[in-house]
Amino acid sequence: MNSGVKEPSFFYSEASKDYIKDMTTQYWENEVNEVIHRADLACDNTFIFTHRWDMERCETPISFSDSIDWTYQYKGDFEWTVNLNRARFMAELGQSYWLTDDEKYVSAYIRLMNDWLAQNPLTENEVHESKDRKYNVKDTWRKLDSGIRITNWIKGYYCVKSSEQWGRTEEETFQHALSLHGMYLHIAYLPHDQQSNWGFLETNGLFQIAMLFPHLESTEKWLEAAVTRLEGMCKLQVFEDGMHNEQSPMYHHEVLHCLFECVLLAKKNDYSLPCTLERSLHRLFTASLAFVKPNGHQPMISDSDHTDIRDVLTRGSVLFENGEFKHQAYSVLDFEGIWYFGKEGFSLYERLNPVEPSFCSTHFDQAGYSIMRSSWKSDAQYVLFDGGHMDIIRAHGHDDFLHFDLCSNGADFLIDTGRYTYMENEDRRYFKESTQHNTISVDDQTISTYVDSWTWENIAQPVDRYWKSTDLVDYVQSGHNGYLRLESPVEVKRQLMFIKPYYWILVDTCSSHDTHEYKQHFHFSEDNDVRVEDDGKIHSKAKNGAELTMISLHSGIVSTESCWTSRDYNHKNKSTKVTCSQEGKGLVKFVSAIVPDSTMEKTPFTLKEIDVFDTKNQLFSKQAVTAVEVTRGINQEVLLFSHAGPNSFQFSGCHMAGEILFSRKSPTAYEDIIKV
């Protein structure tokens, strides 16, 4: 161990107990009540998983009358089993003891600790013999869950150990648990863990054992191994653009949480970590800021729930004293943040001035996500566009090439449908396949081929990606090669231009020598009232009264059907899906304007396709170029999309050269070459 670490410091100590109780009760009464409620249930051998960061939520209470069956599967879902064995309730029993001074929570902590250890013994030989099972020894001793479990036990321990009930026997039992987990987590590490979020969740547990309990045998080598692994994983898993390379906001934040705890604990103990760790953590926080929705939640892409991430940004604000993070975070230090940072952190957060982020729209070059944002306000216009590859290890990635989410005026409109379950069934397939995302399909075929919950074949790759952001417009494009595998191959491309903050123009093109049926799929939030008008316009009204209209220039069939959306694991809602269909050969295109009511209410909005000529005044075909003219009262804009590469174009009184062009004709003339 570092010679400077004599008496290891945890995130909180007995001296901070009264302050934590007073401040959490004053500012976070609901969170306090939720923690105590779950702890009360645990006292009665009843368990629910409703914490916002429980990875697989389950609101149904499951009770055990006598001994707990630690291998129980609710409705056959193994994810319930692993949540039980991750033991967040042990941390919450400790928190509830400090919040109430009720000794029943200490009694329950001791009883559950003894019961779990008695039912789930482990030997070093068992660990080594499980190598061919990736060191997942048994259902209750998996690497991932063991790393999470011991950190929850430690959080509870630092609260309950001050009780008179906590004697030598309890301390020896707890120390035995630490040794078992340390031994297991030190041995059970494979190259796949180095590449997976699992590695961070495992290593956080090993790091905390070694840092906080240096008297245990082998902690010096455990700490060295943990730091080496963390540094290697940061280099391997955290993209330069700040996104975790599984490209799932949910697991991005699980990795961020683990790295945050390690970095903060090292700081509290004056332990020097490689600079890569803190730099990577800052990039992860910055990515969270970049993709956070206007309502403070993460998008539901790639196995993510609709989780509020303002608590994450709040903690990042304190750790890095960063006003940009605070701009999108809570106004006061969050519930868990008070436990992590105490009085000093609370005061720092109060003094920290929120600063509007220096960027607004942004692009994740490695992850392939593009964020279009009109402002940092809660009623901003917002799009997340997925133009990147499937995640690195093909685990949590969905077949969502060219999908986009859209929020407007404080409401969700177009959304990812979520994940719902990890069980191997038709629901899992439904939520992962491309036609349940806002994508384009050919002949009702999916983009990639679903094999099972964690396996794909014929995985599509992105092509022709491009991004540009200016003060007036954001532009993104991407295609993929998924339909080149068909007997009659098809090239697919999506282009989206945001005229800030007024509207989007969407151009989807499909090109083939033969005739195919093409469909756009649009999934609306479950609280939207969606209708298709006689002229083909799609109109959606959200629960808060915000409205959105999609105006199409193409002819085709527009239909609605019911679909499922899932904002949380184990929970799904009926919603509305709109499909726009065309059949054709050669270049077939869908051209649409997506217009928030805040634009249409102010001035009349019209959209029309216009002719385009070359320098010899020859008319370009509609398959070669698309140009649309938008009129908003006295404002008029023209957008040109060439489907045959850059050229010199004459249109609507303009003469411009390039591939993607934008011209604002009035009230002030402005021209911009978006892509040459």
Side-chain angles (χ1 to χ4, degrees):
M1 288 289 292
N2 188 316
S3 59
V5 182
K6 300 292 186 183
E7 297 178 3
S9 297
F10 191 53
F11 305 121
Y12 42 82
S13 66
E14 182 72 17
S16 61
K17 173 184 173 183
D18 290 341
Y19 182 84
I20 290 173
K21 178 180 178 180
D22 291 344
M23 301 309 283
T24 54
T25 302
Q26 178 179 349
Y27 290 102
W28 299 100
E29 183 180 2
N30 288 341
E31 283 72 9
V32 167
N33 291 337
E34 287 176 7
V35 166
I36 293 174
H37 173 62
R38 289 189 291 265
D40 285 340
L41 291 175
C43 288
D44 295 329
N45 283 5
T46 300
F47 304 96
I48 58 172
F49 309 120
T50 57
H51 189 281
R52 75 167 68 178
W53 289 111
D54 279 334
M55 280 185 272
E56 292 81 33
R57 188 178 182 91
C58 182
E59 298 177 0
T60 303
I62 302 298
S63 300
F64 299 90
S65 57
D66 296 313
S67 178
I68 296 169
D69 178 0
W70 296 101
T71 64
Y72 176 79
Q73 295 185 18
Y74 174 62
K75 292 186 176 180
D77 191 354
F78 183 61
E79 297 302 325
W80 196 94
T81 312
V82 299
N83 267 285
L84 179 67
N85 284 275
R86 290 168 185 169
R88 189 185 297 275
F89 53 84
M90 295 292 272
E92 294 186 329
L93 286 167
Q95 289 178 318
S96 297
Y97 175 52
W98 273 19
L99 292 168
T100 66
D101 291 317
D102 193 330
E103 290 287 334
K104 74 175 186 179
Y105 299 113
V106 182
S107 299
Y109 184 100
I110 294 170
R111 177 177 57 79
L112 291 168
M113 174 181 68
N114 289 330
D115 186 79
W116 194 92
L117 289 169
Q119 290 198 52
N120 299 286
L122 182 72
T123 66
E124 187 170 340
N125 281 341
E126 284 183 291
V127 177
H128 287 296
E129 289 170 359
S130 69
K131 185 176 182 180
D132 61 344
R133 301 191 301 277
K134 302 177 182 178
Y135 288 118
N136 292 312
V137 183
K138 58 187 85 171
D139 287 353
T140 55
W141 277 104
R142 297 197 318 163
K143 298 172 293 182
L144 165 68
D145 313 319
S146 299
I148 299 171
R149 175 173 55 247
I150 199 60
T151 60
N152 283 322
W153 282 32
I154 290 170
K155 287 182 175 71
Y157 164 80
Y158 273 93
C159 296
V160 302
K161 71 187 183 77
S162 61
S163 168
E164 290 185 0
Q165 294 187 64
W166 194 266
R168 175 181 292 181
T169 300
E170 288 72 30
E171 184 66 28
E172 289 176 352
T173 302
F174 181 75
Q175 297 291 323
H176 172 63
L178 292 170
S179 296
L180 277 183
H181 283 78
M183 175 272 294
Y184 175 50
L185 292 169
H186 181 249
I187 296 170
Y189 191 77
L190 294 168
H192 187 73
D193 300 302
Q194 184 89 344
Q195 179 61 77
S196 165
N197 72 80
W198 280 46
F200 276 99
L201 292 156
E202 299 157 15
T203 305
N204 183 31
L206 184 63
F207 180 87
Q208 292 195 32
I209 295 169
M211 176 64 69
L212 294 168
F213 305 96
H215 58 276
L216 295 174
E217 186 180 356
S218 302
T219 53
E220 187 172 346
K221 69 177 181 180
W222 292 353
L223 184 61
E224 181 182 359
V227 172
T228 299
R229 292 172 187 178
L230 288 168
E231 185 177 22
M233 287 187 294
C234 283
K235 292 177 179 178
L236 195 59
Q237 294 189 40
V238 182
F239 283 143
E240 284 298 316
D241 62 24
M243 194 75 197
H244 180 252
N245 71 7
E246 290 179 41
Q247 294 151 253
S248 162
M250 189 80 170
Y251 294 93
H252 172 99
H253 288 119
E254 291 299 331
V255 166
L256 181 153
H257 166 78
C258 293
L259 192 54
F260 163 80
E261 289 199 333
C262 293
V263 168
L264 179 59
L265 200 59
K267 285 179 177 291
K268 291 184 74 71
N269 289 282
D270 296 319
Y271 184 84
S272 179
L273 292 172
C275 60
T276 303
L277 274 64
E278 194 163 328
R279 290 174 183 171
S280 297
L281 181 58
H282 189 274
R283 291 207 307 273
L284 289 164
F285 273 115
T286 303
S288 298
L289 173 65
F291 65 64
V292 64
K293 294 166 63 174
N295 63 4
H297 290 240
Q298 66 185 10
M300 298 188 297
I301 52 176
S302 299
D303 280 351
S304 299
D305 290 343
H306 189 60
T307 310
D308 188 337
I309 65 169
R310 287 175 292 176
D311 59 336
V312 173
L313 294 172
T314 301
R315 287 169 228 156
S317 304
V318 178
L319 183 66
F320 291 105
E321 298 186 29
N322 188 307
E324 289 194 351
F325 296 159
K326 185 175 182 179
H327 193 273
Q328 298 306 111
Y330 289 125
S331 58
V332 297
L333 188 60
D334 68 290
F335 174 82
E336 297 290 353
I338 293 171
W339 291 83
Y340 281 122
F341 294 108
K343 184 175 183 179
E344 182 180 348
F346 193 93
S347 299
L348 188 157
Y349 195 70
E350 280 191 313
R351 297 191 306 270
L352 186 64
N353 291 321
V355 177
E356 184 170 292
S358 56
F359 63 93
C360 198
S361 298
T362 192
H363 177 66
F364 293 85
D365 191 48
Q366 286 80 37
Y369 295 136
S370 303
I371 309 296
M372 299 176 171
R373 191 190 300 269
S374 62
S375 74
W376 287 101
K377 297 179 180 178
S378 60
D379 62 351
Q381 317 298 342
Y382 169 97
V383 155
L384 179 147
F385 177 87
D386 184 0
H389 52 79
M390 196 176 286
D391 73 284
I392 292 293
I393 59 174
R394 276 49 163 175
H396 293 287
H398 287 207
D399 195 23
D400 57 358
F401 292 88
L402 314 186
H403 165 90
F404 66 99
D405 280 10
L406 189 150
C407 309
S408 176
N409 296 316
D412 283 340
F413 283 97
L414 298 174
I415 63 171
D416 190 295
T417 55
R419 58 172 177 161
Y420 181 58
T421 186
Y422 285 162
M423 294 180 69
E424 194 59 67
N425 56 30
E426 284 305 306
D427 281 325
R428 180 60 169 160
R429 181 174 191 146
Y430 176 92
F431 283 97
K432 290 200 80 172
E433 286 192 325
S434 58
T435 50
Q436 304 312 320
H437 298 81
N438 303 324
T439 56
I440 311 155
S441 68
V442 179
D443 298 334
D444 291 325
Q445 299 291 308
T446 57
I447 297 170
S448 305
T449 305
Y450 180 91
V451 177
D452 59 39
S453 185
W454 307 104
T455 312
W456 295 93
E457 290 181 351
N458 303 313
I459 298 171
Q461 298 298 322
V463 297
D464 200 14
R465 291 168 50 191
Y466 182 80
W467 160 263
K468 183 174 181 178
S469 181
T470 72
D471 290 340
L472 294 182
V473 304
D474 293 332
Y475 174 76
V476 67
Q477 70 176 47
S478 185
H480 62 74
N481 64 4
Y483 292 118
L484 294 184
R485 75 177 191 277
L486 301 181
E487 184 177 348
S488 172
V490 179
E491 295 180 353
V492 174
K493 184 176 182 178
R494 171 161 280 175
Q495 299 166 280
L496 186 64
M497 191 182 296
F498 179 31
I499 312 306
K500 305 176 188 178
Y502 304 109
Y503 61 93
W504 291 266
I505 296 295
L506 174 67
V507 179
D508 289 339
T509 52
C510 304
S511 182
S512 179
H513 294 300
D514 298 307
T515 300
H516 294 275
E517 183 184 28
Y518 304 112
K519 292 181 181 178
Q520 293 174 307
H521 304 268
F522 297 111
H523 298 81
F524 287 84
S525 174
E526 69 276 11
D527 68 354
N528 284 192
D529 178 20
V530 182
R531 70 177 189 272
V532 177
E533 300 177 358
D534 292 341
D535 59 2
K537 289 180 182 175
I538 303 165
H539 185 79
S540 182
K541 184 173 183 178
K543 189 175 182 180
N544 72 347
E547 300 181 43
L548 188 80
T549 302
M550 300 178 69
I551 306 168
S552 298
L553 290 177
H554 56 268
S555 60
I557 300 171
V558 182
S559 60
T560 62
E561 61 185 272
S562 63
C563 68
W564 292 107
T565 62
S566 173
R567 292 188 180 269
D568 296 295
Y569 192 92
N570 267 331
H571 191 262
K572 62 181 179 178
N573 299 290
K574 282 282 189 181
S575 191
T576 302
K577 172 180 178 177
V578 175
T579 303
C580 305
S581 306
Q582 287 190 75
E583 189 175 277
K585 65 186 298 185
L587 184 84
V588 176
K589 61 185 181 181
F590 299 81
V591 181
S592 306
I594 306 174
V595 192
D597 59 343
S598 53
T599 296
M600 299 192 76
E601 286 177 351
K602 293 177 182 177
T603 56
F605 185 98
T606 61
L607 172 73
K608 66 177 183 179
E609 190 167 8
I610 60 173
D611 290 336
V612 181
F613 299 87
D614 65 16
T615 55
K616 299 177 181 178
N617 295 322
Q618 298 296 307
L619 180 67
F620 280 101
S621 73
K622 293 295 191 289
Q623 287 202 333
V625 62
T626 296
V628 296
E629 184 178 82
V630 173
T631 302
R632 302 177 291 109
I634 64 171
N635 299 280
Q636 189 177 76
E637 290 110 11
V638 180
L639 296 77
L640 183 144
F641 304 81
S642 173
H643 308 304
N647 209 320
S648 187
F649 302 102
Q650 297 185 78
F651 56 98
S652 191
C654 302
H655 188 171
M656 299 176 66
E659 185 175 338
I660 310 298
L661 307 172
F662 169 75
S663 171
R664 176 162 288 167
K665 299 179 69 63
S666 60
T668 302
Y670 174 85
E671 295 182 349
D672 194 2
I673 301 171
I674 304 301
K675 184 174 186 289
V676 175

